[in-house]
């Protein structure tokens, strides 16, 4: 059986949407790979997050050594502070339909990426629901149909966010870091919406580690693909669609040579949900990852089969 890999592409900023997405679409088309895009279409408040983004010193040092032009242009670094936060989807309404027309999955990556990433746990239940509703309204206005999948900004999810998504009929979410698909438990409650976690380290995390360089990326991803289970890799429109486009193309190139089967998360979700009773339950925990500053939501130990 050939190794299977899903490419999950997060689009956080206007820069990523306007420049990263078209660059990634071209490379994906060259290698005939279909991916899963998750977009934040609301205000780009990147300027408010600049200090968080650059807090990881190992990553910043390596960025400066390897790719002098920064991932984020100077304008992006001022959005939401000195410059008014632009609305990402409205700035180029034609891009979202173009992604879908090329056969890729399109889903939501929150509305205001920075607000979700930095303040999810401070928001009220209504505040969380509002972020999801605004994201869905923007998406539907641009595309004519609602998103069926959601990927939490910064891998931050809560019981409230998962309940709000489940109540709105989302097929699945990809909110956490973990090993394999599961139904998440918060406290005593197991929620009925499937979670497909990101299973592999991201390029920016690898660059945050000692001794790891951009050219090591493909080798490190494929090392993990020897395992028999499908893997999920998150890439960023601002990174792999920007200064690390060469590494991304190299990954797809070598993947093709090795016979890797690339798949979309939505297709896998539908396949898995044919037999929900076979899926495990895991608690969602707050975890730390090597090479990443701060905490993320992660998959806890396996706790037996799902009740469905
Ligand atoms: Zn993101």
């Amino acid at each position: 059986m050939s190794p299977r890999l899903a490419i999950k592409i997060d689009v956080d900023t206007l820069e990523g949407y306007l420049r990263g997405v078209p660059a990634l679409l071209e490379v994906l088309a060259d290698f005939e790979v279909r991916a899963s895009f998750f977009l934040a279409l609301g205000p780009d408040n990147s300027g408010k997050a600049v200090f968080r983004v650059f807090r990881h010193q190992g990553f910043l040092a390596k960025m400066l050594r390897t790719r002098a032009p920064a991932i984020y242009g100077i304008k992006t670094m001022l959005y939401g502070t000195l410059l008014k936060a632009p609305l990402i989807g409205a700035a180029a309404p034609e891009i979202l339909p173009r992604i879908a027309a090329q056969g890729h999955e399109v889903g939501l990556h929150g509305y205001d990426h920075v607000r979700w990433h930095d303040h999810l746990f401070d928001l009220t239940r209504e505040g969380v629901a509002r972020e999801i509703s605004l994201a869905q309204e923007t998406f539907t206005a641009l595309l004519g149909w609602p998103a069926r999948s959601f990927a939490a900004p910064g891998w931050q999810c809560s019981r409230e966010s998962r309940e709000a998504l489940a109540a709105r009929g989302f097929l699945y979410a990809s909110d956490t870091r973990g090993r394999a698909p599961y139904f998440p438990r918060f406290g005593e409650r197991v929620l009925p919406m499937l979670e497909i976690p990101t299973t592999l380290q991201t390029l920016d995390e690898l660059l945050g580690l000692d001794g790891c360089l951009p050219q090591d990326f493909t080798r490190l991803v494929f090392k993990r693909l020897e395992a028999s289970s499908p893997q999920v890799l998150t890439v960023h429109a601002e990174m792999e669609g920007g200064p690390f486009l060469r590494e991304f193309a190299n990954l797809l190139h070598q993947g093709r040579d090795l016979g890797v089967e690339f798949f979309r998360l939505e297709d896998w979700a539908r396949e898995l949900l044919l037999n929900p009773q076979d899926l495990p339950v895991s608690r969602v925990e707050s975890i730390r990852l090597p090479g990443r500053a701060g905490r993320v939501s992660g998959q806890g130990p396996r706790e037996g089969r799902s009740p469905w």
Side-chain angles (χ1 to χ4, degrees):
M1 213 171 121
S2 50
R4 298 179 69 196
L5 176 64
I7 307 281
K8 167 179 177 276
I9 301 172
D10 290 354
V11 184
D12 299 0
T13 63
L14 183 61
E15 172 79 13
Y17 185 62
L18 295 181
R19 276 185 261 284
V21 169
L24 289 169
L25 285 177
E26 208 177 307
V27 171
L28 289 163
D30 283 348
F31 293 96
E32 295 176 9
V33 168
R34 292 197 300 166
S36 299
F37 282 79
F38 296 90
L39 302 108
L41 296 168
D44 180 350
N45 274 305
S46 304
K48 292 180 183 162
V50 158
F51 294 105
R52 164 168 55 70
V53 170
F54 291 106
R55 202 165 55 199
H56 202 290
Q57 306 221 329
F59 171 67
L60 181 58
K62 220 164 286 183
M63 268 305 295
L64 294 174
R65 270 207 312 275
T66 58
R67 302 292 138 93
I71 318 166
Y72 301 94
I74 194 76
K75 253 166 97 179
T76 302
M77 294 164 80
L78 299 175
Y79 285 150
T81 54
L82 291 177
L83 295 174
K84 190 174 180 304
L87 290 171
I88 297 172
E94 71 284 2
I95 292 181
L96 181 65
R98 201 198 304 165
I99 305 171
Q102 293 192 20
H104 303 292
E105 174 182 2
V106 279
L108 305 177
H109 191 43
Y111 181 66
D112 180 336
H113 189 281
V114 170
R115 185 187 292 148
W116 186 292
H117 187 158
D118 290 353
H119 302 292
L120 176 67
F121 297 97
D122 307 326
L123 294 176
T124 60
R125 179 174 286 271
E126 292 70 34
V128 174
R130 203 176 108 85
E131 289 291 305
I132 297 168
S133 296
L134 286 169
Q136 188 67 293
E137 282 164 23
T138 308
F139 185 99
T140 308
L142 292 176
L143 213 49
W145 45 269
R148 296 176 287 263
S149 52
F150 188 94
W155 298 283
Q156 307 289 329
C157 75
S158 64
R159 176 173 171 161
E160 289 73 19
S161 71
R162 298 291 299 205
E163 283 178 344
L165 291 169
R168 283 162 176 75
F170 281 81
L171 179 68
Y172 78 97
S174 184
D175 286 349
T176 68
R177 304 294 294 264
R179 304 172 302 280
Y182 65 102
F183 286 103
R185 179 168 73 75
F186 292 88
E188 291 307 303
R189 177 128 199 257
V190 180
L191 297 179
M193 191 183 62
L194 174 67
E195 163 67 14
I196 305 182
T198 291
T199 62
L200 300 174
Q201 282 180 296
T202 64
L203 174 61
D204 58 311
E205 286 162 8
L206 291 169
L207 291 178
L209 301 175
D210 283 339
C212 185
L213 293 166
Q215 53 267 37
D216 302 326
F217 179 51
T218 297
R219 184 178 53 78
L220 290 167
V221 169
F222 287 128
K223 207 166 94 183
R224 289 281 306 276
L225 281 192
E226 285 162 20
S228 56
S229 48
Q231 303 292 325
V232 180
L233 175 72
T234 295
V235 307
H236 289 92
E238 296 77 13
M239 293 268 299
E240 285 87 344
F244 297 97
L245 190 64
R246 197 173 59 204
E247 280 72 17
F248 183 67
N250 188 36
L251 180 88
L252 299 188
H253 192 155
Q254 289 201 29
R256 188 175 64 181
D257 290 353
L258 289 167
V260 173
E261 186 193 323
F262 292 97
F263 64 98
R264 306 185 312 171
L265 292 175
E266 181 181 350
D267 300 327
W268 196 25
R270 291 191 194 284
E271 194 182 307
L272 291 165
L273 288 169
L274 293 175
N275 295 297
Q277 70 283 356
D278 293 344
L279 292 164
V281 168
S282 289
R283 194 157 62 91
V284 173
E285 301 177 336
S286 169
I287 62 167
R288 282 190 183 279
L289 296 170
R292 179 165 297 283
R295 290 178 166 274
V296 299
S297 299
Q299 177 180 12
R302 188 191 168 100
E303 300 176 356
R305 299 241 176 119
S306 81
W308 294 286

